[in-house]
């Protein structure tokens, strides 16, 4: 009965509680626009969520969902989705059909990149940070998502070279490929990423020369030290300037700006 008094509710957060499941009556909150279910105790969500057609934001980050049967395509007004499906394999049903969805943050266990993502060309933000995709290569078709301003594949266990095709993502402002077991170096095609403001590739196991186009980007002279962490780049032909600093990684190894400047 309490839901009858909440029919005009627009924001609901259920987190940091002992609640393990969401009651089916939540589907009666027809005016709800934001739903946050971030509690680590929550393991199930009812199909009745499909009735929340006015939702623009759903946050399931931190929940330990299993046996998800919700068809998210009913949430046709959804703009932002945080999905944390730690015990769920694959891609949540119906997400790729949401034409208004602009920001997708997805955490799951997958044997490959979901093909459904290829259809979501309207996305502006896409994150698979810490999704378990051990041994998977970065697909070149990600370059088809040309509206992306933010792409994060951090800590996914990815392998292989960075596809040259990613240079087609000309609207990218932030790109994170760090904490993976990649190979090769930064593609020359990244010269096309003229809007790029942040490139996170620390601990990506890269090597070789850094393209001159990257060196000439405004942020490089003040953030190049981060690129060295967990990589083996050749800096012998690069004139390095910037503030003094000392960077220490998790193993206690340090990189001093003074030593690097002098060696180059």
């Amino acid at each position: 009965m309490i839901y009858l008094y909440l029919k005009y509710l627009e924001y609901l957060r259920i987190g940091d509680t002992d609640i393990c499941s969401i009651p089916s009556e939540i589907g009666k909150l027809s005016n709800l626009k934001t739903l946050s279910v971030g509690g680590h105790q929550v393991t199930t969500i009812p199909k009745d969520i499909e009735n929340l057609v006015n939702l623009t934001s759903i946050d399931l980050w931190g929940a330990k969902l299993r046996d998800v049967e919700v068809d998210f395509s009913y949430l046709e007004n959804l703009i932002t989705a945080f999905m944390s499906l730690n015990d769920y394999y694959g891609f949540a049903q119906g997400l790729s059909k949401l034409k208004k969805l602009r920001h997708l943050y997805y955490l799951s266990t997958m044997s490959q990149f979901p093909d459904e993502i290829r259809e979501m060309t309207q996305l502006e933000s896409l994150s698979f940070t810490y999704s378990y995709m051990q041994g998977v290569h970065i697909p070149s078709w990600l370059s088809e998502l040309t509206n992306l301003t933010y792409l994060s594949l951090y800590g996914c266990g990815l392998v292989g070279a960075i596809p040259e095709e990613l240079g087609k993502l000309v609207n990218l402002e932030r790109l994170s490929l760090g904490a993976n077991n990649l190979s090769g170096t930064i593609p020359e095609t990244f010269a096309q990423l003229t809007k790029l403001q942040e490139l996170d590739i620390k601990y990506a196991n890269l090597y070789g020369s850094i393209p001159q186009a990257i060196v000439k980007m405004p942020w490089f002279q003040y953030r190049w030290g981060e690129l060295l962490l967990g990589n083996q780049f050749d800096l012998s032909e690069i004139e390095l300037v910037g503030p003094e600093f000392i960077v220490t990684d998790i193993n206690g190894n340090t990189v001093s700006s003074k030593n690097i400047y002098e060696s180059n």
Side-chain angles (χ1 to χ4, degrees):
M1 291 296 293
I2 189 174
Y3 289 90
L4 295 177
Y5 299 99
L6 299 176
K7 62 180 180 179
Y8 296 112
L9 190 68
E10 295 186 358
Y11 177 89
L12 176 61
R13 181 178 185 274
I14 305 172
D16 302 321
T17 68
D18 293 330
I19 297 176
C20 295
S21 61
I22 307 302
S24 60
E25 287 85 356
I26 195 172
K28 298 178 181 179
L29 302 178
S30 58
N31 287 296
L32 204 61
K33 294 182 179 180
T34 300
L35 174 62
S36 177
V37 185
H40 290 276
Q41 301 300 319
V42 177
T43 58
T44 60
I45 54 174
K47 277 184 65 65
D48 302 80
I49 281 182
E50 297 171 0
N51 297 326
L52 304 179
V53 295
N54 288 310
L55 272 185
T56 60
S57 176
I58 187 168
D59 183 356
L60 304 177
W61 205 255
K64 294 184 177 181
L65 301 178
R66 296 190 294 268
D67 301 322
V68 179
E69 299 180 357
V70 174
D71 183 348
F72 291 96
S73 66
Y74 288 100
L75 308 181
E76 57 186 20
N77 288 302
L78 206 60
I79 297 174
T80 302
F82 292 83
M83 299 285 179
S84 178
L85 311 179
N86 290 341
D87 297 312
Y88 180 79
Y89 287 76
F91 197 63
Q93 182 182 359
L95 277 180
S96 62
K97 298 179 180 179
L98 298 175
K99 300 306 179 184
K100 294 183 180 180
L101 191 65
R102 294 293 184 271
H103 312 286
L104 177 60
Y105 303 84
Y106 202 88
L107 175 63
S108 186
T109 299
M110 292 171 284
S111 59
Q112 62 181 16
F113 276 84
D115 289 334
E116 295 92 332
I117 291 290
R118 198 168 187 170
E119 306 171 24
M120 305 175 74
T121 56
Q122 80 283 0
L123 285 178
E124 297 174 10
S125 304
L126 175 62
S127 173
F128 282 107
T129 300
Y130 291 126
S131 285
Y132 186 82
M133 292 187 278
Q134 193 70 34
V136 175
H137 288 72
I138 301 173
S140 60
W141 54 254
L142 282 176
S143 63
E144 299 172 17
L145 307 181
T146 55
N147 286 308
L148 286 179
T149 62
Y150 172 69
L151 174 62
S152 177
L153 306 177
Y154 189 91
C156 294
L158 301 171
V159 299
I162 300 173
E164 294 184 356
E165 290 82 356
L166 293 190
K168 297 178 182 178
L169 298 175
V170 294
N171 288 306
L172 271 185
E173 297 175 1
R174 298 168 59 201
L175 175 60
S176 180
L177 303 174
N180 286 296
N181 192 28
L182 302 177
S183 58
T185 190
I186 304 171
E188 293 284 349
T189 55
F190 276 26
Q192 302 170 65
L193 305 181
T194 57
K195 296 182 180 180
L196 197 65
Q197 300 174 18
E198 179 180 340
L199 177 61
D200 183 356
I201 53 173
K202 55 181 176 287
Y203 300 106
N205 199 37
L206 298 174
Y207 52 86
S209 300
I210 298 177
Q212 284 299 313
I214 296 294
V215 175
K216 293 178 181 179
M217 290 184 176
W219 53 266
F220 179 83
Q221 294 292 352
Y222 299 96
R223 303 198 63 176
W224 59 263
E226 297 177 14
L227 304 186
L228 299 180
L229 296 174
N231 298 302
Q232 299 181 44
F233 288 121
D234 179 8
L235 304 179
S236 59
E237 298 182 4
I238 298 176
E239 182 179 351
L240 299 172
V241 297
E244 294 185 2
F245 65 86
I246 296 178
V247 178
T248 304
D249 65 18
I250 57 175
N251 296 316
N253 301 315
T254 61
V255 177
S256 169
S257 59
K258 180 179 179 181
N259 294 336
I260 293 177
Y261 297 151
E262 290 176 349
S263 65
N264 286 274

